[in-house]
Amino acid sequence: NRLAFNLGYAFGPSLGGILASYNYSLLFVADGLTCLIAGIFFAFLFRKMGAKAAKQHEENAENTEKMPVASPYRDRTFVVFLIFSTMFAMCFFQFFTTLPLYWRKEFQIPEAHIGLMIATNGFFVFLFEMLIVYKMGDRFKPLRLMSLGTLLVGVSYLLLNVVNGYAWWVFILFSLTMSEILTMPFMNTYVVARSNSHNRGRYIAAYTMVYSLAHILAPTFGTQIADRFGFDVLWVSIFGITLISSAGFRFLK
């Protein structure tokens, strides 16, 4: 599932950057058309499921309703995990919000180039994530990998205060990609392992809300800090937040 999403991230920003360099209206037309095509495809796909699958789903729902379902919000350890995950996601998502603004404002990088640089993240994930997850998933505990990946996010952004240029930016993007690979897949693993067959949907829903919240906080926090104090202070602030989150994951066990 993540592989499919990241393949979309690989094509989306690169195509978006190219279209925006010609006309921003084309960007919105293409975005609308791809969503319509996906919606039609899903409607056709799920019609093929048939009555048998629908009946099975109803039976599973009835069985679940008979069981007492523990709320994820009463799981204190899991709630702390959600807090640290929100901190991580808020920092990581600067990649899609303030980082492009930084390149555009500070270095006048064209939109097409920015789109291609952001797209490298999706390509890197597409190439390396499955391999790394299979190789490291059974060797290391998820919380330890999350801690390392979160710290790597902060270090990557901190490097922006030290180096610049396309070669260094690609290196930083690769570092951010590695941080994503070391955190997000294993966060999913942790959520699934923490839940059971009767409340897994609730746990996954609570975890998904972390990213919705982070998508609100990331641009709000990032642009305000950058506007008032400058991008240098923003990158240092992100490093500080990821340091706290990384330590939190480390000791959560």
Side-chain angles (χ1 to χ4, degrees), residues 204-223:
I204 292 173
Y207 172 65
T208 302
M209 285 196 298
V210 161
Y211 291 95
S212 300
L213 182 60
H215 273 300
I216 297 170
L217 295 176
T220 306
F221 164 79
T223 55

PDB file of all heavy atoms in Angstrom, residues 204-223:
ATOM      1  N   ILE A 204      -6.015   1.949  13.997  1.00  0.00           N
ATOM      2  CA  ILE A 204      -5.514   2.474  12.719  1.00  0.00           C
ATOM      3  C   ILE A 204      -6.123   3.844  12.437  1.00  0.00           C
ATOM      4  O   ILE A 204      -5.445   4.753  11.933  1.00  0.00           O
ATOM      5  CB  ILE A 204      -5.814   1.489  11.576  1.00  0.00           C
ATOM      6  CG1 ILE A 204      -4.973   0.219  11.770  1.00  0.00           C
ATOM      7  CG2 ILE A 204      -5.514   2.116  10.213  1.00  0.00           C
ATOM      8  CD1 ILE A 204      -5.306  -0.892  10.803  1.00  0.00           C
ATOM      9  N   ALA A 205      -7.415   4.019  12.778  1.00  0.00           N
ATOM     10  CA  ALA A 205      -8.069   5.315  12.582  1.00  0.00           C
ATOM     11  C   ALA A 205      -7.404   6.396  13.432  1.00  0.00           C
ATOM     12  O   ALA A 205      -7.166   7.520  12.971  1.00  0.00           O
ATOM     13  CB  ALA A 205      -9.548   5.216  12.915  1.00  0.00           C
ATOM     14  N   ALA A 206      -7.103   6.057  14.689  1.00  0.00           N
ATOM     15  CA  ALA A 206      -6.440   7.025  15.577  1.00  0.00           C
ATOM     16  C   ALA A 206      -5.063   7.385  15.033  1.00  0.00           C
ATOM     17  O   ALA A 206      -4.660   8.560  15.049  1.00  0.00           O
ATOM     18  CB  ALA A 206      -6.322   6.439  16.982  1.00  0.00           C
ATOM     19  N   TYR A 207      -4.356   6.380  14.544  1.00  0.00           N
ATOM     20  CA  TYR A 207      -3.022   6.629  13.975  1.00  0.00           C
ATOM     21  C   TYR A 207      -3.122   7.465  12.700  1.00  0.00           C
ATOM     22  O   TYR A 207      -2.305   8.361  12.469  1.00  0.00           O
ATOM     23  CB  TYR A 207      -2.336   5.291  13.693  1.00  0.00           C
ATOM     24  CG  TYR A 207      -1.036   5.422  12.941  1.00  0.00           C
ATOM     25  CD1 TYR A 207       0.060   6.061  13.523  1.00  0.00           C
ATOM     26  CD2 TYR A 207      -0.889   4.894  11.663  1.00  0.00           C
ATOM     27  CE1 TYR A 207       1.254   6.183  12.833  1.00  0.00           C
ATOM     28  CE2 TYR A 207       0.298   5.002  10.973  1.00  0.00           C
ATOM     29  CZ  TYR A 207       1.367   5.648  11.556  1.00  0.00           C
ATOM     30  OH  TYR A 207       2.550   5.776  10.874  1.00  0.00           O
ATOM     31  N   THR A 208      -4.123   7.218  11.874  1.00  0.00           N
ATOM     32  CA  THR A 208      -4.302   7.982  10.641  1.00  0.00           C
ATOM     33  C   THR A 208      -4.581   9.450  10.947  1.00  0.00           C
ATOM     34  O   THR A 208      -4.133  10.343  10.218  1.00  0.00           O
ATOM     35  CB  THR A 208      -5.457   7.385   9.813  1.00  0.00           C
ATOM     36  OG1 THR A 208      -5.169   6.016   9.527  1.00  0.00           O
ATOM     37  CG2 THR A 208      -5.622   8.136   8.498  1.00  0.00           C
ATOM     38  N   MET A 209      -5.308   9.709  12.035  1.00  0.00           N
ATOM     39  CA  MET A 209      -5.606  11.093  12.410  1.00  0.00           C
ATOM     40  C   MET A 209      -4.336  11.877  12.744  1.00  0.00           C
ATOM     41  O   MET A 209      -4.309  13.106  12.620  1.00  0.00           O
ATOM     42  CB  MET A 209      -6.571  11.128  13.586  1.00  0.00           C
ATOM     43  CG  MET A 209      -8.002  10.796  13.205  1.00  0.00           C
ATOM     44  SD  MET A 209      -9.200  11.284  14.465  1.00  0.00           S
ATOM     45  CE  MET A 209      -8.678  10.276  15.855  1.00  0.00           C
ATOM     46  N   VAL A 210      -3.291  11.175  13.157  1.00  0.00           N
ATOM     47  CA  VAL A 210      -2.006  11.827  13.415  1.00  0.00           C
ATOM     48  C   VAL A 210      -1.543  12.576  12.172  1.00  0.00           C
ATOM     49  O   VAL A 210      -1.095  13.732  12.244  1.00  0.00           O
ATOM     50  CB  VAL A 210      -0.954  10.774  13.831  1.00  0.00           C
ATOM     51  CG1 VAL A 210       0.462  11.319  13.654  1.00  0.00           C
ATOM     52  CG2 VAL A 210      -1.175  10.344  15.273  1.00  0.00           C
ATOM     53  N   TYR A 211      -1.667  11.951  11.019  1.00  0.00           N
ATOM     54  CA  TYR A 211      -1.190  12.563   9.784  1.00  0.00           C
ATOM     55  C   TYR A 211      -2.115  13.681   9.314  1.00  0.00           C
ATOM     56  O   TYR A 211      -1.656  14.672   8.727  1.00  0.00           O
ATOM     57  CB  TYR A 211      -1.019  11.489   8.712  1.00  0.00           C
ATOM     58  CG  TYR A 211       0.119  10.567   9.043  1.00  0.00           C
ATOM     59  CD1 TYR A 211      -0.103   9.362   9.714  1.00  0.00           C
ATOM     60  CD2 TYR A 211       1.432  10.918   8.754  1.00  0.00           C
ATOM     61  CE1 TYR A 211       0.948   8.537  10.061  1.00  0.00           C
ATOM     62  CE2 TYR A 211       2.486  10.096   9.097  1.00  0.00           C
ATOM     63  CZ  TYR A 211       2.239   8.906   9.753  1.00  0.00           C
ATOM     64  OH  TYR A 211       3.282   8.100  10.118  1.00  0.00           O
ATOM     65  N   SER A 212      -3.409  13.544   9.586  1.00  0.00           N
ATOM     66  CA  SER A 212      -4.324  14.645   9.284  1.00  0.00           C
ATOM     67  C   SER A 212      -3.969  15.869  10.121  1.00  0.00           C
ATOM     68  O   SER A 212      -3.927  17.000   9.618  1.00  0.00           O
ATOM     69  CB  SER A 212      -5.767  14.217   9.559  1.00  0.00           C
ATOM     70  OG  SER A 212      -6.129  13.117   8.761  1.00  0.00           O
ATOM     71  N   LEU A 213      -3.718  15.641  11.409  1.00  0.00           N
ATOM     72  CA  LEU A 213      -3.329  16.738  12.297  1.00  0.00           C
ATOM     73  C   LEU A 213      -1.993  17.333  11.875  1.00  0.00           C
ATOM     74  O   LEU A 213      -1.819  18.556  11.872  1.00  0.00           O
ATOM     75  CB  LEU A 213      -3.266  16.232  13.738  1.00  0.00           C
ATOM     76  CG  LEU A 213      -2.908  17.259  14.817  1.00  0.00           C
ATOM     77  CD1 LEU A 213      -3.932  18.387  14.850  1.00  0.00           C
ATOM     78  CD2 LEU A 213      -2.812  16.581  16.184  1.00  0.00           C
ATOM     79  N   ALA A 214      -1.052  16.471  11.505  1.00  0.00           N
ATOM     80  CA  ALA A 214       0.275  16.946  11.092  1.00  0.00           C
ATOM     81  C   ALA A 214       0.198  17.774   9.816  1.00  0.00           C
ATOM     82  O   ALA A 214       0.952  18.743   9.646  1.00  0.00           O
ATOM     83  CB  ALA A 214       1.211  15.756  10.894  1.00  0.00           C
ATOM     84  N   HIS A 215      -0.718  17.412   8.919  1.00  0.00           N
ATOM     85  CA  HIS A 215      -0.888  18.194   7.689  1.00  0.00           C
ATOM     86  C   HIS A 215      -1.420  19.595   7.992  1.00  0.00           C
ATOM     87  O   HIS A 215      -1.218  20.517   7.198  1.00  0.00           O
ATOM     88  CB  HIS A 215      -1.847  17.472   6.739  1.00  0.00           C
ATOM     89  CG  HIS A 215      -1.162  16.476   5.857  1.00  0.00           C
ATOM     90  ND1 HIS A 215      -0.167  16.828   4.963  1.00  0.00           N
ATOM     91  CD2 HIS A 215      -1.317  15.132   5.718  1.00  0.00           C
ATOM     92  CE1 HIS A 215       0.249  15.761   4.325  1.00  0.00           C
ATOM     93  NE2 HIS A 215      -0.422  14.717   4.767  1.00  0.00           N
ATOM     94  N   ILE A 216      -2.122  19.760   9.117  1.00  0.00           N
ATOM     95  CA  ILE A 216      -2.573  21.085   9.540  1.00  0.00           C
ATOM     96  C   ILE A 216      -1.442  21.834  10.239  1.00  0.00           C
ATOM     97  O   ILE A 216      -1.184  23.018   9.968  1.00  0.00           O
ATOM     98  CB  ILE A 216      -3.782  20.964  10.489  1.00  0.00           C
ATOM     99  CG1 ILE A 216      -4.969  20.312   9.773  1.00  0.00           C
ATOM    100  CG2 ILE A 216      -4.191  22.338  11.034  1.00  0.00           C
ATOM    101  CD1 ILE A 216      -6.107  19.931  10.702  1.00  0.00           C
ATOM    102  N   LEU A 217      -0.760  21.149  11.156  1.00  0.00           N
ATOM    103  CA  LEU A 217       0.263  21.799  11.965  1.00  0.00           C
ATOM    104  C   LEU A 217       1.523  22.130  11.176  1.00  0.00           C
ATOM    105  O   LEU A 217       2.146  23.171  11.421  1.00  0.00           O
ATOM    106  CB  LEU A 217       0.633  20.894  13.149  1.00  0.00           C
ATOM    107  CG  LEU A 217      -0.469  20.629  14.176  1.00  0.00           C
ATOM    108  CD1 LEU A 217       0.032  19.637  15.232  1.00  0.00           C
ATOM    109  CD2 LEU A 217      -0.916  21.923  14.835  1.00  0.00           C
ATOM    110  N   ALA A 218       1.912  21.259  10.249  1.00  0.00           N
ATOM    111  CA  ALA A 218       3.187  21.436   9.548  1.00  0.00           C
ATOM    112  C   ALA A 218       3.272  22.774   8.810  1.00  0.00           C
ATOM    113  O   ALA A 218       4.215  23.548   9.047  1.00  0.00           O
ATOM    114  CB  ALA A 218       3.426  20.263   8.597  1.00  0.00           C
ATOM    115  N   PRO A 219       2.335  23.098   7.911  1.00  0.00           N
ATOM    116  CA  PRO A 219       2.450  24.386   7.219  1.00  0.00           C
ATOM    117  C   PRO A 219       2.227  25.581   8.143  1.00  0.00           C
ATOM    118  O   PRO A 219       2.856  26.623   7.970  1.00  0.00           O
ATOM    119  CB  PRO A 219       1.369  24.310   6.138  1.00  0.00           C
ATOM    120  CG  PRO A 219       0.391  23.315   6.630  1.00  0.00           C
ATOM    121  CD  PRO A 219       1.190  22.323   7.416  1.00  0.00           C
ATOM    122  N   THR A 220       1.329  25.426   9.132  1.00  0.00           N
ATOM    123  CA  THR A 220       1.063  26.523  10.058  1.00  0.00           C
ATOM    124  C   THR A 220       2.309  26.846  10.874  1.00  0.00           C
ATOM    125  O   THR A 220       2.757  28.006  10.936  1.00  0.00           O
ATOM    126  CB  THR A 220      -0.092  26.154  11.015  1.00  0.00           C
ATOM    127  OG1 THR A 220      -1.222  25.761  10.239  1.00  0.00           O
ATOM    128  CG2 THR A 220      -0.465  27.330  11.893  1.00  0.00           C
ATOM    129  N   PHE A 221       2.874  25.826  11.490  1.00  0.00           N
ATOM    130  CA  PHE A 221       4.079  26.000  12.300  1.00  0.00           C
ATOM    131  C   PHE A 221       5.253  26.463  11.438  1.00  0.00           C
ATOM    132  O   PHE A 221       5.951  27.430  11.757  1.00  0.00           O
ATOM    133  CB  PHE A 221       4.405  24.682  13.000  1.00  0.00           C
ATOM    134  CG  PHE A 221       5.801  24.593  13.556  1.00  0.00           C
ATOM    135  CD1 PHE A 221       6.120  25.201  14.760  1.00  0.00           C
ATOM    136  CD2 PHE A 221       6.791  23.894  12.872  1.00  0.00           C
ATOM    137  CE1 PHE A 221       7.401  25.115  15.276  1.00  0.00           C
ATOM    138  CE2 PHE A 221       8.071  23.805  13.386  1.00  0.00           C
ATOM    139  CZ  PHE A 221       8.375  24.415  14.586  1.00  0.00           C
ATOM    140  N   GLY A 222       5.475  25.782  10.310  1.00  0.00           N
ATOM    141  CA  GLY A 222       6.643  26.054   9.485  1.00  0.00           C
ATOM    142  C   GLY A 222       6.653  27.448   8.890  1.00  0.00           C
ATOM    143  O   GLY A 222       7.667  28.164   8.957  1.00  0.00           O
ATOM    144  N   THR A 223       5.542  27.860   8.307  1.00  0.00           N
ATOM    145  CA  THR A 223       5.511  29.173   7.651  1.00  0.00           C
ATOM    146  C   THR A 223       5.571  30.321   8.658  1.00  0.00           C
ATOM    147  O   THR A 223       6.188  31.361   8.384  1.00  0.00           O
ATOM    148  CB  THR A 223       4.241  29.322   6.784  1.00  0.00           C
ATOM    149  OG1 THR A 223       3.075  29.065   7.581  1.00  0.00           O
ATOM    150  CG2 THR A 223       4.265  28.349   5.614  1.00  0.00           C
TER     151      THR A 223
END
